[in-house]
Amino acid sequence: MIKILANDGIDPIGKKLLEEAGFEVDTNTIPQDELPVKLQAYDGITVRSATKVRKALIDACPNLKMIGRGGVGVDNIDVDYAKEKGIPVYNTPASSSNSVAELVFGHLFTGARFLQDSNRKMPVDGATKFNDLKKSYAKGSELRGKTLGILGFGRIGKAVAKIALGVGMDVLAFDVYDFDTELELELGGGNVVKASVKKATQEEIIAQSDFVTLHTPFIEKPILDAETFAKMKKGAGVINCSRGGLIDELALVEALNSGQIAFAGLDVFDNEPTPRAEILNHPKISLTPHIGASTNEAQERIGVELATLIIDHFKSLELA
Ligand SMILES: O=C(O)[C@H](O)COP(=O)(O)O
């Protein structure tokens, strides 16, 4: 029987599909340091972002026939090396876009109305404090009519743009690849309307946006650092639900402390799973622990997509 280790879990629907196709699926997480020995007993592994599949692990497991990533980012996998070894890496790029986009707006609405701070400070113990808090959150801002800059206009960037346009925001978008500026918005009640974003350079987005959100893959150099924060509109907000390392976190803390940046919403961090204290305790940062894809809907879609990819792969090897 073909054995798959779903080391970071898989939605029950994906597991069921695999089992119905005759696979054995193990969802018990094996600690990273035990994987080089224990993974040898499996034909395939699926991971999310927690488990790392690096060169040494691939070398230790000559029986491995595929690597599945239930999600988008593959920076935790040595993809080129796996391919060199003839081991394909499959990910599920479309399944979680809407969930990530909705989380971006969770952070945007939160930062614009200080929810991250008021959730920490309430309940209060008397009417005076309540009114003090009310005063300290008096200068919230609406999103409607504001400009959202989207750096990285792939599937997730586009899903973010659709929500932004629906909320009444203007959208500036940048990507290294060319893209269509017209989007189809599926509104409630079966209504579909067309709306457009505006193409912009990275510099224009930095200078002209009220809020900037990042949707690029991981790259070594931060996109937002002290220099870029200084060029942004005073009081702008920044969101990162993409990858840690795309924002210089210490520069962000300085920009928040000086008031140059009004708030940040972060789902991803430099040192996952142990983000730095300055970030975790900052009253102007809305925090989530890398949960962009963690919805029932996204995980179900990911499970089905991954199971289908795995079944097709082993069929192509004439093993399933
Ligand atoms: O790249 C992704 O798909 C997201 O960052 C989600 O990662 P996760 O599967 O570890 O939640």
Side-chain angles (χ1 to χ4, degrees), residues 95-254:
S95 297
S96 53
S97 308
N98 188 58
S99 291
V100 179
E102 288 189 9
L103 184 67
V104 168
F105 272 81
H107 283 296
L108 264 177
F109 281 119
T110 293
R113 302 299 290 271
F114 316 102
L115 304 191
Q116 78 286 348
D117 198 47
S118 63
N119 276 327
R120 284 167 181 149
K121 291 193 177 141
M122 289 182 77
V124 289
D125 54 15
T128 317
K129 271 195 182 166
F130 184 100
N131 286 330
D132 285 349
L133 277 181
K134 184 175 161 85
K135 270 186 208 151
S136 70
Y137 304 136
K139 298 220 174 288
S141 66
E142 293 188 351
L143 300 189
R144 180 175 298 277
K146 301 290 186 320
T147 299
L148 178 68
I150 304 179
L151 292 174
F153 208 58
R155 289 183 182 84
I156 298 174
K158 288 193 179 89
V160 170
K162 288 182 187 183
I163 301 178
L165 292 165
V167 168
M169 303 180 85
D170 295 321
V171 177
L172 298 177
F174 168 81
D175 201 283
V176 289
Y177 300 105
D178 195 21
F179 58 86
D180 202 341
T181 53
E182 192 176 83
L183 297 172
E184 222 167 63
L185 275 55
E186 285 154 28
L187 305 176
N191 296 296
V192 178
V193 297
K194 292 192 173 180
S196 295
V197 303
K198 212 173 133 193
K199 274 186 193 167
T201 64
Q202 214 160 316
E203 291 69 28
E204 285 166 343
I205 285 180
I206 297 295
Q208 295 171 20
S209 302
D210 297 297
F211 311 103
V212 172
T213 182
L214 303 175
H215 297 289
T216 72
F218 174 75
I219 46 171
E220 293 292 339
K221 192 179 170 306
I223 297 174
L224 300 182
D225 56 14
E227 205 180 310
T228 41
F229 288 135
K231 289 179 182 159
M232 287 175 77
K233 281 188 178 176
K234 189 167 169 62
V238 297
I239 308 291
N240 188 7
C241 292
S242 185
R243 274 296 173 272
L246 297 180
I247 290 185
D248 178 335
E249 290 182 353
L250 294 178
L252 172 65
V253 169
E254 272 186 33

Side-chain angles (χ1 to χ4, degrees), residues 48-50 69-73 96 242-243 290 293-294 299:
R48 287 178 65 177
S49 60
R69 162 55 162 123
V72 184
S96 53
S242 185
R243 274 296 173 272
H290 202 148
S294 298
Q299 288 306 315

